[in-house]
């Protein structure tokens, strides 16, 4: 029971706040100090689903943890640096780096996609990690981007996650973009989005795939910006007016003499 | 390092986990730490529930302050639904005054003010919300009285976007001769969402809390209603602006910090200028 609850807390940790959530969990389970140690599976799920990034020892490059880059037994790999490593899901630290070269029928497509993706990511994401991996017995490739910006001193953190699966046999590109923003100064405000993306890539090259991704993400970000405007001008405005129709604050000394729908010219929907 | 207080940790956790599901997280925390239940339930604001008053046919809002067991008191009829057992009623006993959450029925004078406050905030609701439901509950304190002003409005169903606004204004009025000190704690819970094929799913939900304390002159009990009215009206105006800034300004800016629509290499100079502006705003 409590393990399921604690796991749900871990899975719900906002971007960059897993350590804070774990601190809270420890304080709440002071009588059962082992509780956190039993949350390994929840940490693994969080790290893989959130595309947690880690710096390999001796490198400044961030690499992504995900089910698509998993080798099993707690080891993951990165194509760009041609390395595999052990990853501790609780401490989020990498160790035991080894050489790992991607081979197989998709190796060339993976490398060319990685090259185009690198250029695209550097142009549009100030702080992002990315990866491309052959998946499903070398039949498809997975393309991942994760961009984080943490500003805990200003009480906000954010994450952008893209995941695409490209199927060379059908030239179909399918995936999703998820944005997660948390603002928590004297409150708790969260933006959570999920945008499915489907496209057909006309030229099944790395450059062609990334061109399609770039177009889809640009279109989505513009749509999301319109989404903010629409919610602000639509639902938000419709919930509460900034001022009454009269554009004047209420005269509270005379409020008893107000008659709804008559003197004040407001709505008349009194039930 | 000293061990953190479990109650503070629970509140910190609720400040981090998805605010759209605060009630679920609250229930989970109570399962985990049953001894925190009472403190958590009285300090964590949840979206308000609407109930229809059997006597007046009007809707009213439920919260911990008009609850006695499983029964809730209607501000319009002053009756509990379901009715309380004879002799089981809460209310202001001989010595007890702070009976909120235990079905406190205000004393005669405070109930009179409560009726006036409900009438006044019903007008306020119509002027600002043009719909929705309002309820005001008062209870006696040793040196005055306290109360909660509740407002709820949901966007009409059926559109591609949805929205719910809950206002919870809890105040204490300490009466000292011709002046009264009002301590107001206000929370707005605002959930917005939108979904369609081009946008996908977008959910923008949360809550914000602000406090204010003011000493104001009081001539009659009518002035209490006017004072509380002005305090709540000013606070809601302030909070509406704040919500607008955070929901549609800050959240959007962070998305722009995660990914830029324009090219980073071309926009380098623009961005530095922008950062300068943000920096000077933050340091004001």
């Amino acid at each position: 029971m409590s393990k399921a609850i604690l796991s749900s807390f871990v899975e719900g940790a906002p971007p960059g706040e897993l350590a804070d959530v774990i601190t809270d969990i420890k304080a709440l389970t002071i009588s059962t100090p082992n509780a956190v140690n039993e949350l390994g599976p929840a940490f693994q799920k969080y790290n893989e689903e959130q595309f947690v990034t880690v710096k390999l020892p001796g490198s400044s490059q961030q690499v992504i943890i995900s089910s698509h880059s998993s080798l099993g037994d707690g080891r993951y790999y990165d194509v760009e640096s041609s390395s595999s490593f052990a990853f501790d899901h609780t401490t989020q630290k990498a160790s035991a780096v080894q050489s790992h070269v991607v081979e197989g029928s998709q190796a060339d497509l993976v490398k060319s996609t990685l090259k185009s993706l690198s250029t695209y990511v550097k142009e549009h994401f100030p702080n992002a990690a990315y990866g491309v991996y052959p998946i499903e017995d070398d039949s498809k490739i997975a393309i991942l981007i994760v961009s984080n910006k943490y500003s805990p001193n200003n009480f906000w953190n954010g994450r952008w996650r893209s995941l695409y699966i490209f199927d060379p046999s059908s030239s179909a590109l399918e995936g999703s973009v998820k944005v997660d923003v948390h603002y928590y100064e004297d409150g708790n405000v969260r933006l959570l989005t999920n945008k499915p993306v489907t496209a057909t890539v006309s030229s099944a090259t790395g450059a062609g795939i990334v061109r399609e991704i770039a177009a889809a993400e640009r279109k989505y970000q513009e749509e999301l910006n319109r989404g903010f405007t629409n919610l602000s001008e639509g639902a938000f405005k419709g919930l509460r007016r900034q001022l009454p129709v009269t554009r004047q604050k209420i005269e509270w000394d005379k409020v008893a003499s107000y008659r709804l729908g008559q003197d004040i010219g407001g709505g008349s929907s009194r039930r | 390092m000293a061990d953190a207080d479990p109650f503070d940790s629970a509140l910190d956790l609720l400040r981090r986990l998805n605010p759209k599901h605060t009630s679920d997280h609250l229930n989970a925390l109570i399962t985990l730490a049953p001894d925190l239940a009472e403190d958590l339930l009285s300090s964590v604001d949840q979206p308000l529930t609407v109930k229809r008053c059997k006597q007046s046919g009007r809707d009213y809002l439920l919260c911990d302050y008009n609850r006695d067991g499983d029964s809730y008191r209607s501000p319009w009829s002053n009756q509990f639904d379901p009715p309380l057992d004879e002799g089981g009623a809460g209310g202001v006993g001989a010595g007890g005054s702070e009976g909120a959450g235990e079905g406190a029925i205000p004393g005669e004078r405070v109930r009179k003010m409560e009726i006036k406050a409900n009438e006044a905030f019903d007008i306020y609701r119509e002027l600002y919300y043009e719909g929705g439901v309002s309820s005001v509950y008062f209870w006696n304190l040793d040196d005055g009285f306290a109360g909660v002003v509740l407002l709820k409005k949901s966007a009409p169903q059926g559109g591609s976007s949805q929205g719910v606004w809950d206002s919870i204004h809890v105040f204490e009025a300490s009466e000292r001769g011709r002046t009264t000190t009002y301590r107001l704690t206000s929370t707005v819970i605002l959930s917005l969402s939108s979904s369609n094929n081009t946008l996908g799913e977008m959910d923008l939900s949360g809550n914000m809390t602000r406090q204010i304390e003011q000493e104001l002159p009081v001539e009659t009990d009518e002035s209490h209603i006017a004072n509380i009215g002005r305090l709540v009206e000013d606070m809601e105006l302030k909070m509406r602006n704040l919500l607008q800034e955070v929901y549609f300004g800050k959240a959007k800016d962070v998305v722009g910090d995660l990914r830029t629509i324009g090219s980073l290499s071309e926009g380098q100079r623009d961005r530095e200028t922008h950062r300068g502006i943000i920096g000077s705003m933050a340091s004001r």
Side-chain angles (χ1 to χ4, degrees):
Chain A
M1 181 60 140
S2 71
K3 192 175 165 186
I5 289 172
L6 297 178
S7 299
S8 77
F9 291 164
V10 168
E11 280 170 41
E17 297 174 46
L18 182 61
D20 303 286
V21 167
I22 294 171
T23 303
D24 291 334
I25 288 175
K26 281 181 179 160
L28 285 162
T29 54
I30 205 96
S31 55
T32 48
N34 263 332
V36 170
N37 299 337
E38 291 170 9
L39 295 177
F43 291 138
Q44 177 172 349
K45 192 173 177 204
Y46 178 89
N47 292 331
E48 290 189 348
E49 285 187 355
Q50 294 295 321
F51 302 167
V52 159
T53 57
V54 62
K55 278 181 189 162
L56 300 185
S59 162
S60 59
Q61 187 88 6
Q62 304 266 8
V63 303
I64 297 179
I65 302 301
S66 83
S67 61
H68 303 291
S69 60
S70 170
L71 296 169
D73 292 332
R75 289 191 70 84
Y76 296 82
Y77 73 100
D78 174 57
V79 176
E80 201 162 48
S81 60
S82 298
S83 36
S84 74
F85 52 94
F87 184 73
D88 184 322
H89 285 286
T90 307
T91 61
Q92 295 193 337
K93 292 269 190 308
S95 62
V97 180
Q98 291 173 3
S99 167
H100 182 96
V101 178
V102 168
E103 290 164 345
S105 54
Q106 302 301 344
D108 287 345
L109 183 61
V110 164
K111 280 172 195 154
S112 73
T113 305
L114 202 51
K115 192 161 174 273
S116 297
L117 191 66
S118 158
T119 310
Y120 163 64
V121 166
K122 286 187 177 79
E123 277 296 320
H124 291 281
F125 296 89
N127 177 35
Y130 52 90
V132 182
Y133 317 94
I135 57 165
E136 296 180 27
D137 292 331
D138 244 6
S139 65
K140 296 174 185 171
I141 64 169
I143 303 151
L144 281 69
I145 304 169
V146 60
S147 169
N148 296 308
K149 183 116 195 226
Y150 304 149
S151 190
N153 292 337
N154 298 307
F155 302 100
W156 62 262
N157 296 303
R159 175 171 297 152
W160 170 299
R161 273 178 296 160
S162 309
L163 167 66
Y164 303 94
I165 309 292
F166 178 69
D167 183 346
S169 67
S170 64
S171 292
L173 183 74
E174 278 189 41
S176 66
V177 178
K178 294 185 167 85
V179 180
D180 186 343
V181 174
H182 186 216
Y183 177 89
Y184 51 107
E185 185 171 24
D186 294 324
N188 179 1
V189 177
R190 191 90 172 255
L191 167 73
L192 286 165
T193 80
N194 183 14
K195 162 68 179 168
V197 174
T198 52
T200 307
V201 179
S202 49
S203 108
T205 61
I209 294 167
V210 172
R211 201 178 306 126
E212 207 61 56
I213 289 174
E217 296 198 335
R218 179 193 181 92
K219 189 160 167 272
Y220 175 56
Q221 193 169 1
E222 286 168 349
E223 195 62 40
L224 185 55
N225 283 343
R226 269 193 292 278
F228 280 108
T229 309
N230 291 342
L231 279 180
S232 170
E233 297 298 314
F236 181 67
K237 261 193 179 165
L239 288 173
R240 188 192 183 279
R241 304 181 62 89
Q242 191 169 27
L243 280 172
V245 175
T246 55
R247 306 198 60 77
Q248 283 169 353
K249 285 192 181 179
I250 290 174
E251 291 184 63
W252 287 93
D253 294 320
K254 296 181 190 165
V255 74
S257 66
Y258 279 44
R259 267 171 296 161
L260 287 173
Q262 286 188 355
D263 302 352
I264 48 182
S268 55
S269 63
R270 188 176 190 182
R271 269 163 293 185
Chain B
M1 204 173 86
D3 287 333
D5 176 51
F7 178 65
D8 291 340
S9 300
L11 290 183
D12 185 75
L13 204 49
L14 290 170
R15 197 169 61 119
R16 298 186 188 277
L17 299 176
N18 187 353
K20 184 118 183 167
H21 305 299
T22 293
S23 299
D24 296 341
H25 303 316
L26 190 59
N27 290 334
L29 279 166
I30 289 169
T31 308
L32 204 63
D35 48 327
L36 297 179
E38 203 178 319
D39 286 344
L40 285 174
L41 285 171
S42 65
S43 46
V44 178
D45 293 310
Q46 303 181 65
L48 301 161
T49 308
V50 182
K51 193 168 182 171
R52 175 129 327 152
C53 171
K54 290 199 173 105
Q55 282 77 21
S56 67
R58 301 185 65 182
D59 287 343
Y60 63 102
L61 296 166
L62 313 187
C63 68
D64 218 31
Y65 299 105
N66 65 329
R67 183 177 67 84
D68 188 343
D70 296 327
S71 298
Y72 290 90
R73 182 169 66 92
S74 159
W76 314 119
S77 65
N78 206 26
Q79 299 296 308
F80 278 92
D81 181 22
L84 299 176
D85 294 338
E86 284 298 315
V92 186
S97 52
E98 291 195 57
E102 292 153 25
I105 300 173
E108 196 181 338
R109 174 192 159 226
V110 173
R111 169 61 187 161
K112 268 188 187 158
M113 285 197 285
E114 184 188 75
I115 292 172
K116 288 251 161 62
N118 272 289
E119 287 167 0
F121 277 101
D122 192 40
I123 290 164
Y124 175 90
R125 174 196 58 71
E126 191 55 47
L127 289 173
Y128 279 99
Y129 292 84
E130 299 176 325
V133 183
S134 64
S135 294
V136 183
Y137 303 104
F138 280 10
W139 59 94
N140 294 62
L141 292 181
D142 285 339
D143 64 343
F145 62 98
V148 61
V149 177
L150 307 172
L151 293 141
K152 185 184 187 81
K153 168 96 185 273
S154 302
Q157 296 289 310
S160 66
S161 60
Q162 296 185 319
V164 184
W165 175 300
D166 289 276
S167 278
I168 300 164
H169 304 276
V170 183
F171 69 88
E172 277 183 24
S174 309
E175 303 183 281
R176 288 193 196 83
R178 287 183 187 161
T179 65
T180 292
T181 303
Y182 301 91
R183 269 180 300 277
L184 177 68
T185 302
S186 298
T187 297
V188 176
I189 306 170
L190 174 63
S191 290
L192 300 168
S193 63
S194 195
S195 86
N196 60 55
N197 281 342
T198 45
L199 177 65
E201 289 159 37
M202 172 180 189
D203 191 287
L204 193 48
S205 296
N207 55 72
M208 304 203 76
T209 297
R210 287 292 184 275
Q211 290 183 312
I212 191 177
E213 182 172 326
Q214 251 185 48
E215 191 177 326
L216 296 168
V218 173
E219 286 165 23
T220 63
D221 281 351
E222 304 267 311
S223 9
H224 278 306
I225 310 298
N227 287 343
I228 294 158
R230 280 187 206 103
L231 284 171
V232 167
E233 185 178 29
D234 288 348
M235 182 64 108
E236 284 209 339
L237 178 63
K238 207 165 83 181
M239 292 192 76
R240 189 186 183 279
N241 291 338
L242 182 71
L243 289 163
Q244 182 146 29
E245 210 177 291
V246 170
Y247 276 58
F248 310 114
K250 190 72 221 172
K252 189 180 168 185
D253 287 349
V254 175
V255 178
D257 281 345
L258 293 171
R259 184 187 185 278
T260 61
I261 291 182
S263 144
L264 273 171
S265 56
E266 287 168 20
Q268 189 74 28
R269 187 173 299 167
D270 292 353
R271 260 196 341 283
E272 273 162 15
T273 313
H274 185 62
R275 271 201 205 109
I277 294 166
I278 298 279
S280 65
M281 279 171 73
S283 61
R284 274 196 307 202

